Amino acid sequence: METLEQTKARAEAAVPGAQLSVVKNDSPSAQHSLLVDVEHAYAVAKFLRDDPQLRLDYCSNVTGVDFLDAELSEKVKVKKVVDGVEKEVEEVKKTKRAGYLEAVYHLYSMSLKHGPVILRQRTPGRADLVKVTSLTPLWRSCEFQEREVFDLYGVLFDGHPDLRRILMWDGFKDYPMRKDYVEPDDYEYEPTPHDEVLEKAKAHQAAQEVKA
Amino acid sequence: MTAPVDTSDPKQLGADTDGTQFMTFHDLAYDAGKTVFQRKAQPVGQGREGELLEVAMGPQHPSTHGVFRMDVVLDGETVVKLKPVFGYLHRNHEKIAENTSYLGSMPYTDRLDYFCSLTNNWAYALSVEKLAGLQVPERAEYIRLITAELTRVLNHTCLAGFLLQDMGALGTPLMYAFREREKILDLIESLTGARMMCNYMRFGGCRCDLPAGWLDEAKKVVAEYPKFLDEFDALLSGNEILMARTQGVGKLSAELAISAGITGPMLRASGVDYDLRKVDNYGLYSRYPFRVPLGSHGDVYDRYMIRMLEMRESLKILEPALKDIPEGPVVDPKAKLRGFRPKPGEAYGRIESPKGELGFYLISDGSPNPYRYRVRPPSLINLTILEDMCLGQTVADAIVTLGSVDIVLGEVDR
């Protein structure tokens, strides 16, 4: 099987305007992935499926990943004049990274028996800009899995035929797999509360007293 | 009753992965060309418009194999629409696993597909080993192979029993299946201490070594198993009622099966040659020759037959593996159980579980907990095309079709 760089070059040639980049994976598994922009995701995925060398006819796994807003620190060498002498000094440069959601697709080929090629789509933000392109029209196996990503992460899949909640009930409001999800306060009376439960109980008891 | 299989016709046979060997649909008569009983096509909605009946089958229905619901729209007895509803057993397994250590969710994987906890353990251990680059000693690999194949035999035996139960063969086949399952469960219990919730694999090996005399007991069970399969085959596989209820029911084309990501025996019943034991070559499967049975119709009968044949192939792996197993450690001495922190990165590992491709996708950020933990559940994804298979059939056939998918709700809902 060709390397991911070769696949990327051929996909770029086949789909004009597609912005692709390789996301490196430093773990021993060495499963690098291909990040594709949302506008061209469908065309690139179609290329990967129909290309005679790749024929990735089987989309095995679809999932979401949540990345919160983060402050990344990077060590940068800066030239500075210290006591009249120019010196190279290491400084920590801090950059803010806006949070985003990802949809990850693991593609294999059943006919050529190779894989995986990992495709990622990234949303611009986490709050309202959460749209990516649905690949269900290409692989039917995405149908339930994209619904699950929508259900648990709140990623909207453009072009999905039936985007409803799948595991949580229809009236549920939040997205439970997000990293900043707060569990509902299911308070139950306990005769001898302690630690966290005591803290929780105090709030509820205060509310009770106000009512009374 | 039916003409025997013509072994010179490759259409009636299944191909091996390398395309060289062929195997028959066993020595039992299987009329590959035509069904025994011809069904009449049911006219849908003729003169009865507006008389559609909506039925919620489940979540407390005995034939949905757990808390699974199908919202079925019926025209007379014919299924016009079918929507599966999930989530009754949802506990957000993935979130729980992301809030605990890597090893902490090992016992929790048992509860996914509670019939085959050992293969669940293996899939998870394999993914973590990929993520952290751990090696597994040879003896542990052997134990994994043996336990996984025993699990496959156990699962397929039970499935055959349950499928027959769904068709109305109340009791007898299921009791026969459970009698045999009990023998394997005794083996698993003496090895892991638990019948079903085994929690046996560890990253880089297995939790404990085989107890004294275990191999002899296992050899005895494996040697006696073909006798049971012959009995089961004689009782069921050529049974006219079974053929009438299953042949031509719940058909699934190879193209749709591939596109819908169907895996496991259900995919191979549609004639697609894709078995991860051959494709990925994980574990020690390359050491033992076994054949991959393939179906040609993609109906319920093929799915049943594939499982019967796969059990015989599993026994072919088990028999020499039980003899070859070497002495040695069962866990990599360098593997750390406490304070286990893989380097940042991600890995997707998958194995051929009895239900299909069971995969675990893990992202590590260098902390003791996985940043992302995802289970690729074969049971859920095999249900994607349930509606396609059931449309135009009767309710009774929809039940049989669902039974042939082989789902466990612990894995569907997670």
Side-chain angles (χ1 to χ4, degrees):
Chain A
M1 204 190 155
E2 61 184 11
T3 63
L4 203 60
E5 270 75 18
Q6 286 169 322
T7 308
K8 175 181 169 252
R10 290 203 304 122
E12 275 170 343
V15 185
Q19 291 159 10
L20 290 162
S21 53
V22 173
V23 180
K24 282 272 169 210
N25 177 5
D26 296 329
S27 84
S29 75
Q31 291 172 337
H32 310 296
S33 46
L34 208 55
L35 182 70
V36 63
D37 61 320
V38 174
E39 286 77 42
H40 297 92
Y42 184 87
V44 169
K46 196 167 178 348
F47 165 78
L48 294 176
R49 189 191 66 168
D50 297 337
D51 181 65
Q53 276 185 49
L54 291 166
R55 284 197 22 218
L56 300 164
D57 48 12
Y58 166 44
C59 178
S60 161
N61 179 41
V62 183
T63 188
V65 191
D66 181 16
F67 291 96
L68 292 169
D69 298 338
E71 203 171 63
L72 303 177
S73 48
E74 200 181 0
K75 277 186 183 169
V76 190
K77 281 187 178 170
V78 191
K79 280 188 180 172
K80 258 191 180 172
V81 183
V82 184
D83 303 330
V85 189
E86 201 178 49
K87 269 188 183 174
E88 246 187 15
V89 185
E90 268 198 355
E91 268 189 7
V92 180
K93 192 179 142 195
K94 284 192 174 169
T95 44
K96 277 200 174 159
R97 184 201 68 186
Y100 54 88
L101 299 163
E102 261 182 3
V104 186
Y105 298 78
H106 285 78
L107 310 174
Y108 288 85
S109 171
M110 274 196 190
S111 41
L112 301 177
K113 298 197 168 51
H114 59 66
V117 170
I118 305 165
L119 201 64
R120 303 180 103 93
Q121 292 189 67
R122 217 169 256 186
T123 64
R126 294 177 72 253
D128 48 348
L129 306 162
V130 287
K131 223 173 222 185
V132 298
T133 310
S134 169
L135 302 184
T136 307
L138 293 170
W139 293 285
R140 184 75 191 279
S141 56
C142 302
E143 187 183 332
F144 284 178
Q145 303 191 68
E146 282 182 349
R147 263 177 78 183
E148 194 184 308
V149 176
F150 161 71
D151 187 2
L152 302 179
Y153 281 94
V155 179
L156 294 174
F157 288 90
D158 211 5
H160 192 286
D162 184 22
L163 199 62
R164 289 179 293 134
R165 285 193 177 269
I166 184 167
L167 293 172
M168 307 303 284
W169 57 99
D170 289 335
F172 192 78
K173 285 282 183 293
D174 213 342
Y175 303 110
M177 278 302 284
R178 287 203 182 187
K179 289 284 174 189
D180 53 359
Y181 173 75
V182 183
E183 284 168 39
D185 185 15
D186 293 333
Y187 174 71
E188 279 179 42
Y189 170 76
E190 266 202 38
T192 52
H194 50 83
D195 301 342
E196 287 167 29
V197 183
L198 182 63
E199 290 302 308
K200 222 171 159 182
K202 272 181 189 162
H204 283 270
Q205 279 156 4
Q208 289 279 315
E209 277 162 21
V210 170
K211 260 190 208 168
Chain B
M1 189 170 50
T2 46
V5 172
D6 177 10
T7 42
S8 61
D9 180 7
K11 274 186 192 163
Q12 298 187 20
L13 306 168
D16 201 24
T17 305
D18 50 15
T20 50
Q21 290 169 295
F22 290 94
M23 78 177 302
T24 66
F25 258 116
H26 192 47
D27 48 345
L28 272 161
Y30 173 47
D31 188 352
K34 50 185 183 292
T35 52
V36 177
F37 292 88
Q38 288 296 324
R39 290 154 189 283
K40 279 182 192 161
Q42 303 238 353
V44 175
Q46 268 184 7
R48 285 178 289 150
E49 288 85 1
E51 285 185 37
L52 297 178
L53 179 67
E54 217 171 300
V55 183
M57 284 181 64
Q60 305 294 350
H61 192 282
S63 67
T64 50
H65 297 245
V67 279
F68 171 65
R69 189 171 115 213
M70 299 190 276
D71 281 348
V72 194
V73 179
L74 297 175
D75 176 13
E77 252 195 282
T78 314
V79 177
V80 187
K81 198 176 154 192
L82 186 151
K83 288 285 168 213
V85 181
F86 311 100
Y88 290 97
L89 211 59
H90 181 54
R91 55 214 183 261
N92 218 340
H93 173 72
E94 294 175 6
K95 186 89 176 177
I96 295 168
E98 281 171 22
N99 289 330
T100 183
S101 67
Y102 281 86
L103 188 61
S105 42
M106 180 63 87
Y108 223 139
T109 60
D110 293 337
R111 276 86 178 158
L112 286 170
D113 173 0
Y114 40 77
F115 265 92
C116 328
S117 62
L118 285 162
T119 46
N120 298 346
N121 284 179
W122 192 5
Y124 180 49
L126 188 89
S127 307
V128 175
E129 281 151 14
K130 264 193 178 180
L131 181 69
L134 296 173
Q135 296 300 314
V136 182
E138 200 179 2
R139 187 175 171 84
E141 285 279 24
Y142 266 96
I143 297 176
R144 285 180 177 193
L145 177 97
I146 289 164
T147 50
E149 289 311 309
L150 281 174
T151 307
R152 194 179 315 279
V153 171
L154 177 159
N155 179 72
H156 287 356
T157 308
C158 290
L159 186 269
F162 283 130
L163 185 61
L164 266 291
Q165 177 100 345
D166 287 347
M167 284 177 218
L170 297 175
T172 313
L174 186 61
M175 286 304 126
Y176 278 31
F178 267 49
R179 183 192 66 199
E180 295 307 308
R181 170 182 183 247
E182 211 58 36
K183 292 176 186 164
I184 298 181
L185 283 185
D186 283 348
L187 281 180
I188 292 177
E189 188 180 5
S190 70
L191 172 60
T192 69
R195 279 154 43 89
M196 291 169 84
M197 302 297 131
C198 301
N199 178 21
Y200 180 62
M201 312 266 175
R202 290 288 177 268
F203 314 135
C206 300
R207 176 160 54 93
C208 54
D209 205 347
L210 302 173
W214 192 86
L215 284 172
D216 294 329
E217 287 295 312
K219 275 176 200 163
K220 220 185 281 171
V221 170
V222 169
E224 280 173 8
Y225 218 84
K227 235 193 316 181
F228 159 71
L229 289 180
D230 290 341
E231 182 193 43
F232 220 48
D233 263 345
L235 179 67
L236 302 171
S237 299
N239 186 301
E240 250 182 82
I241 303 173
L242 182 132
M243 285 186 172
R245 286 297 310 274
T246 54
Q247 289 189 344
V249 172
K251 277 199 171 185
L252 174 63
S253 71
E255 274 173 15
L256 183 60
I258 293 175
S259 163
I262 309 299
T263 42
M266 207 175 150
L267 174 77
R268 295 190 283 277
S270 293
V272 183
D273 181 15
Y274 196 73
D275 188 322
L276 296 183
R277 292 175 291 173
K278 293 266 188 196
V279 175
D280 277 13
N281 253 331
Y282 63 93
L284 299 174
Y285 282 109
S286 53
R287 286 195 196 176
Y288 294 102
F290 66 98
R291 293 179 293 180
V292 180
L294 295 181
S296 47
H297 297 83
D299 57 6
V300 175
Y301 189 77
D302 274 11
R303 279 172 222 145
Y304 161 80
M305 214 53 205
I306 290 282
R307 288 175 174 117
M308 296 301 283
L309 294 171
E310 262 188 19
M311 279 192 268
R312 292 184 190 271
E313 295 303 317
S314 289
L315 295 176
K316 272 191 209 164
I317 302 173
L318 279 168
E319 219 173 314
L322 285 167
K323 282 183 197 135
D324 294 353
I325 180 166
E327 289 296 321
V330 291
V331 73
D332 185 9
K334 274 179 266 169
K336 257 171 87 177
L337 289 184
R338 285 167 197 281
F340 178 70
R341 290 160 183 255
K343 284 190 191 111
E346 63 174 62
Y348 178 68
R350 54 179 198 164
I351 69 161
E352 181 77 30
S353 91
K355 305 252 181 326
E357 175 185 329
L358 175 64
F360 281 82
Y361 175 60
L362 300 163
I363 299 182
S364 164
D365 59 351
S367 68
N369 304 351
Y371 185 78
R372 178 76 180 106
Y373 168 103
R374 146 89 179 165
V375 187
R376 186 235 186 242
S379 293
L380 173 73
I381 294 158
N382 286 358
L383 283 175
T384 311
I385 35 72
L386 184 66
E387 186 179 18
D388 304 59
M389 290 195 295
C390 291
L391 287 186
Q393 294 189 356
T394 58
V395 199
D397 285 348
I399 298 273
V400 178
T401 309
L402 175 71
S404 72
V405 176
D406 191 7
I407 55 168
V408 161
L409 267 295
E411 188 178 79
V412 172
D413 289 343
R414 282 162 295 132

